[in-house]
Amino acid sequence: MAEAKSPAQEFEKGLTGSSTDVASFEREGKTFIERAQHALHSNPALVPLIVLMLSLGLFGALLGSKFFSAFTLTLILQQVAITGIVGAAQTLVVITAGIELSVGAIMVFSSVVMGQFTFRYGIPAPISILCGFAVGGGIGWINGFLVARVKLPPFIVTLGMWQIVLAANFLYSRNETIRSQDIEAQAPLLQLFGAQLKIGGAVFTLGVIAMVVLVFVLNYALTQTAWGRHVYAIGDDPEAAKLAGVKVQKTLMSVYTVSGLICALAGWVLIGRIGSVSPTAGQFANIESITAVVIGGISLFGGRGSILGMLFGALIVGVFALGLRLLGTDPQWTYLLIGLLIIFAVAIDQWIRKVAG
């Protein structure tokens, strides 16, 4: 399927014509900076990948084998598993030029539903888990309906839904935590993603494997399917996408629904990660997911970015958090450096966006 061109691009084509000589002249006349802009525009995951490699090299030089060990590196993966999964849900929405502030609340509420259905009502764990996914997907569908059909701003819709789901979470759970020992004894399936797989000194959890598989599946869907191209087209120019035959409302609703389902998966992984079902867990997941998305080079203006970049962004945060902790520095330095990285990432995004069509 050929990419839809916006009216501005068609107009520009009419002005410049199709002369190969002109195109050749423009290519030859590009400076190194312009070529770098175009390279980064074509490969949005390149900047966070470079930053990730530099941060690994920095802490490796400072800490040596204490940092560059199989256990330490896989520990970083374990620590960012939840952020990576919730960040995947956030990425889908941000690519459409939206924002999802309720991802953390949906994640926790889905986990609470899974736990409460099992222990309060005696429902078998597999069915309770499916109910948790239904709740997550249902909340996502409502968000999508309000954004796509009712035409409400994504920020307002998800901000309101965050408050609603957060309140529902505490009211329904009665602020009670289901203990790890009870889950292990009666419904170990809820803790599935906490299971560990040891390879030499490396320790992987099923939650980490789920995150990696999810990222690569979504990367394929976004880059190799018509649905993925439609998602990018909506974020770039919804009116042009509509004129090109994209069902904008239907696609937007599917994005928010899939986002909700991914948050439910994150809720299941969260139970395995902490061992218990807690209504107070994951309180900063929405902020952490946005941080991973921004540092990962995904444009908040929509239409550009890679879900692999989001994963690199989450890993950057994990590397800085663990590296500074091993150095014995004040935890506030982590927040300071992450804040600087966020501002740097947005500045780079603005610079890359100056690339001419």
Side-chain angles (χ1 to χ4, degrees):
M1 175 180 175
E3 292 184 359
K5 293 185 177 181
S6 67
Q9 289 173 317
E10 292 291 347
F11 180 70
E12 182 181 358
K13 181 180 178 182
L15 288 178
T16 59
S18 58
S19 171
T20 56
D21 293 335
V22 173
S24 176
F25 175 78
E26 288 180 351
R27 283 194 296 271
E28 291 174 359
K30 288 179 182 176
T31 66
F32 172 79
I33 297 298
E34 289 172 333
R35 288 196 296 270
Q37 276 184 299
H38 279 271
L40 295 176
H41 188 273
S42 302
N43 303 279
L46 193 56
V47 173
L49 178 59
I50 293 172
V51 174
L52 177 61
M53 293 297 102
L54 290 175
S55 59
L56 285 171
L58 172 64
F59 287 109
L62 293 174
L63 294 165
S65 59
K66 186 179 180 181
F67 183 80
F68 271 133
S69 67
F71 176 78
T72 301
L73 295 177
T74 51
L75 180 60
I76 294 172
L77 285 172
Q78 292 179 42
Q79 292 179 338
V80 304
I82 302 297
T83 301
I85 295 173
V86 178
Q90 187 73 254
T91 298
L92 295 178
V93 176
V94 171
I95 288 175
T96 66
I99 194 77
E100 232 296 14
L101 298 177
S102 62
V103 285
I106 297 174
M107 172 188 72
V108 178
F109 189 44
S110 297
S111 71
V112 166
V113 167
M114 294 176 189
Q116 293 293 339
F117 274 35
T118 301
F119 287 88
R120 186 184 297 181
Y121 308 125
I123 296 175
I127 298 177
S128 297
I129 291 168
L130 291 176
C131 290
F133 274 92
V135 168
I139 297 172
W141 184 90
I142 293 172
N143 283 339
F145 178 84
L146 294 174
V147 170
R149 302 284 186 183
V150 186
K151 307 293 185 183
L152 296 178
F155 181 88
I156 300 301
V157 169
T158 58
L159 178 64
M161 188 60 72
W162 172 39
Q163 298 289 344
I164 292 170
V165 176
L166 197 63
N169 169 43
F170 285 112
L171 290 171
Y172 178 68
S173 67
R174 302 169 188 165
N175 206 18
E176 296 176 351
T177 297
I178 301 175
R179 298 183 308 167
S180 175
Q181 302 93 312
D182 296 333
I183 296 175
E184 188 175 353
Q186 301 179 43
L189 183 61
L190 293 176
Q191 296 177 332
L192 172 67
F193 288 104
Q196 295 184 342
L197 176 65
K198 296 182 179 180
I199 303 176
V203 181
F204 299 92
T205 64
L206 292 185
V208 169
I209 296 172
M211 175 191 68
V212 174
V213 171
L214 174 68
V215 167
F216 279 97
V217 167
L218 289 177
N219 183 65
Y220 176 84
L222 287 170
T223 59
Q224 304 297 324
T225 69
W227 179 80
R229 289 191 290 271
H230 292 171
V231 171
Y232 278 103
I234 291 171
D236 186 49
D237 190 336
E239 292 302 321
K242 187 175 182 180
L243 291 173
V246 176
K247 296 180 180 178
V248 174
Q249 292 184 345
K250 183 177 179 181
T251 303
L252 271 177
M253 291 183 65
S254 70
V255 165
Y256 280 89
T257 302
V258 171
S259 176
L261 289 171
I262 294 173
C263 289
L265 172 62
W268 189 7
V269 175
L270 178 65
I271 298 175
R273 172 68 179 160
I274 65 177
S276 60
V277 176
S278 172
T280 60
Q283 292 182 351
F284 301 103
N286 54 346
I287 301 300
E288 291 169 352
S289 69
I290 295 173
T291 299
V293 164
V294 173
I295 295 178
I298 298 171
S299 176
L300 293 176
F301 298 96
R304 193 181 66 80
S306 165
I307 198 162
L308 291 177
M310 179 281 303
L311 179 58
F312 297 149
L315 289 172
I316 289 168
V317 175
V319 168
F320 271 90
L322 184 59
L324 291 173
R325 192 182 312 154
L326 290 175
L327 286 171
T329 59
D330 191 306
Q332 301 306 320
W333 282 102
T334 302
Y335 296 111
L336 187 149
L337 291 174
I338 296 304
L340 291 174
L341 281 174
I342 291 173
I343 295 173
F344 171 75
V346 173
I348 290 293
D349 176 60
Q350 291 283 2
W351 179 66
I352 293 174
R353 284 175 63 84
K354 293 179 182 178
V355 175

